[in-house]
Amino acid sequence: MHYRLRWPDASETLCYSPSLIIQDYLRPGDDYPLAELLTRVREATRIANERVQAKFGFTCSRAGDQLLQTEARAAAFAADARVRVVSFEPA
């Protein structure tokens, strides 16, 4: 599952989640304060990785890399910035 984020500078990032659980944490069209977005993405990634671990015996390195990229991108913005979830897209 991919999800598209629009950052405060109007740039967009296509992100990856190995599980549909991300849909329980983010909603297209909603804006999230930066800290809340990161909390939601971290929790969804943790659950997704637990599911992958249970099924395959290892976690999803791509999901971990995506989380690091999202956190790095977020660091460029002020703490009170808001990020929009644009859409979900099939992987």
Side-chain angles (χ1 to χ4, degrees):
M1 161 76 42
H2 287 109
Y3 56 101
R4 188 173 300 277
L5 300 177
R6 182 173 302 133
W7 298 95
D9 65 359
S11 66
E12 292 187 3
T13 304
L14 185 63
C15 303
Y16 172 77
S17 174
S19 171
L20 298 178
I21 191 70
I22 194 71
Q23 293 177 317
D24 292 345
Y25 286 82
L26 301 176
R27 198 161 75 182
D30 283 359
D31 293 331
Y32 295 91
L34 192 57
E36 181 181 346
L37 176 88
L38 291 174
T39 297
R40 288 170 177 266
V41 169
R42 287 176 184 133
E43 181 65 10
T45 300
R46 182 189 64 76
I47 293 168
N49 266 326
E50 287 176 356
R51 290 178 176 184
V52 171
Q53 176 80 36
K55 186 171 183 176
F56 299 107
F58 52 86
T59 60
C60 179
S61 62
R62 186 174 173 194
D65 291 345
Q66 179 63 69
L67 178 58
L68 291 174
Q69 291 170 8
T70 301
E71 290 172 333
R73 183 74 178 110
F77 300 103
D80 63 346
R82 297 183 71 83
V83 180
R84 172 162 291 210
V85 177
V86 177
S87 62
F88 288 119
E89 303 171 16

